[in-house]
Amino acid sequence: MTDIVSDKKVILAEPRGFCAGVRRAIEIVEKALEVHGAPVYVRKEIVHNHYVVGVLKRRGAIFVDSEAEVPPGAVCVFSAHGVAPEVRENAKARNLDTIDATCPLVSKVHQEARRYARDGRTLLLVGHADHEEVEGTYGEAPDRTVIVESEESARQLDLPRDTPVAVLTQTTLSMDETAGIVAVLGERFDDLRSPADGDICYASTNRQVAVKQIAARSDLVLVVGSRNSSNSVRMVEVALLEGTAAYLVPDVTELDVSWLDGVTTIGVSAGASAPELLVDQLLERLDQLGYHDVELSVTTKEDIVFQLPSGLGQARPSA
């Protein structure tokens, strides 16, 4: 019997996809290739998206795990996630022509870390220890920084109650999860400081709010993003906490059609490092599967733009 269900639909979240920091980082690598020519070396993935990295590789970018792998004197781009001071020192010692693609909002957290460390405070860095952004921030004051990954680890901190502390967070965390950890720390310590406006970036916040909204109206939420993209993974978690089934979809080839069994309304969004092309491909596949109607759900408009680093427009003079 032919399926004649006609009320299938997609609710597409807005904002979604690239944030200003990701756009800036990708443009920096593209501009570096244009100015310097290939190869241009990039320390770690410029942003956490396999498709973006693949495109830049084909254009001549070489991605390395460490600045030590970059030939002396070569062009080296630091990823959007930031690096520790030690990395900058190592690059200088190798005479690398460095270009900093660190997201300005991550740079802000580094500045806060240095300021609080100068004030003699112990830094409580809320985040995932194995994430590159946390590694970079931790490196600003490793002797004064403790990484806090959960409410339980916050409760178990072996520090006196009167210790002067400062709370910093990874910019791509879940708002709700982070609020719980910060609340525990507030109960644990009498002298606690934190940035007035917090550290979770506007893009992470906006995308999580948008996902909450579509999750409330959907049977299933699909988030386009790579598995190593923290903000994309957090978006899936946000939808799940709303009681809606949710999956991460790195690209359309990883859409499992069994997820759609009995599903009438699908919410779709994308992490801050996922290109719109991947969203378009997913929508096209959903259309083939009968989800023809696409409704845009707008929670806010983003108009933030970050400027490229000064001096990127010219190649370094030959020695």
Side-chain angles (χ1 to χ4, degrees):
M1 183 173 180
T2 303
D3 182 2
I4 59 173
V5 174
S6 60
D7 57 351
K8 289 181 177 180
K9 66 182 294 186
V10 171
I11 303 177
L12 183 61
E14 174 69 33
R16 66 182 178 278
F18 281 177
C19 63
V22 165
R23 285 195 183 91
R24 175 180 180 270
I26 295 170
E27 287 176 15
I28 285 172
V29 177
E30 292 173 339
K31 186 68 172 176
L33 286 165
E34 175 187 324
V35 171
H36 299 276
V40 163
Y41 292 82
V42 183
R43 186 185 183 278
K44 305 290 188 180
E45 292 188 354
I46 186 65
V47 297
H48 285 158
N49 185 269
H50 67 287
Y51 179 85
V52 170
V53 169
V55 169
L56 293 174
K57 279 183 177 178
R58 290 191 290 275
R59 293 183 183 177
I62 297 177
F63 293 85
V64 296
D65 287 329
S66 168
E67 65 283 357
E69 300 174 49
V70 182
V75 176
C76 178
V77 179
F78 295 146
S79 82
H81 308 103
V83 298
E86 181 182 11
V87 172
R88 299 182 188 278
E89 293 166 5
N90 292 343
K92 185 176 181 180
R94 295 181 66 79
N95 192 35
L96 302 185
D97 186 0
T98 59
I99 304 171
D100 192 356
T102 302
C103 173
L105 299 179
V106 175
S107 296
K108 169 179 168 286
V109 180
H110 281 240
Q111 292 166 1
E112 293 163 352
R114 293 191 293 269
R115 185 179 79 245
Y116 286 130
R118 285 196 300 268
D119 291 344
R121 292 184 174 274
T122 296
L123 308 184
L124 305 179
L125 178 54
V126 179
H128 304 288
D130 59 350
H131 194 277
E132 289 155 34
E133 181 185 325
V134 170
E135 291 173 359
T137 304
Y138 180 88
E140 293 289 353
D143 57 332
R144 305 196 65 84
T145 303
V146 179
I147 297 174
V148 183
E149 295 192 279
S150 65
E151 291 186 27
E152 183 60 27
S153 62
R155 293 189 184 95
Q156 295 178 354
L157 286 173
D158 187 19
L159 293 170
R161 186 176 186 86
D162 61 354
T163 303
V165 299
V167 178
L168 302 173
T169 66
Q170 182 181 329
T171 63
T172 55
L173 297 180
S174 159
M175 298 177 297
D176 295 336
E177 180 184 13
T178 304
I181 296 173
V182 173
V184 171
L185 295 174
E187 295 169 359
R188 284 275 284 105
F189 298 99
D190 296 324
D191 185 3
L192 181 149
R193 301 280 179 84
S194 61
D197 54 353
D199 289 325
I200 297 178
C201 84
Y202 78 92
S204 295
T205 299
N206 289 347
R207 281 150 189 73
Q208 289 172 33
V209 169
V211 162
K212 279 188 179 183
Q213 185 171 95
I214 64 173
R217 302 174 53 209
S218 302
D219 305 310
L220 170 70
V221 170
L222 302 176
V223 176
V224 178
S226 290
R227 292 186 177 85
N228 63 337
S229 167
S230 176
N231 79 88
S232 301
V233 172
R234 301 291 85 73
M235 290 165 67
V236 173
E237 293 172 352
V238 164
L240 291 170
L241 286 172
E242 291 298 303
T244 305
Y247 297 96
L248 190 68
V249 184
D251 59 56
V252 69
T253 66
E254 299 201 41
L255 173 66
D256 186 337
V257 294
S258 70
W259 298 341
L260 311 185
D261 290 346
V263 169
T264 299
T265 303
I266 302 175
V268 171
S269 189
S273 52
E276 188 68 8
L277 172 65
L278 300 185
V279 177
D280 291 341
Q281 291 173 347
L282 176 61
L283 294 177
E284 182 179 349
R285 177 60 177 143
L286 292 176
D287 181 69
Q288 294 169 355
L289 294 168
Y291 297 86
H292 308 306
D293 183 20
V294 179
E295 173 191 333
L296 189 63
S297 174
V298 181
T299 54
T300 189
K301 290 288 188 180
E302 293 179 348
D303 56 6
I304 294 175
V305 176
F306 294 137
Q307 299 301 313
L308 299 185
S310 60
L312 183 57
Q314 294 183 337
R316 185 171 62 172
S318 301

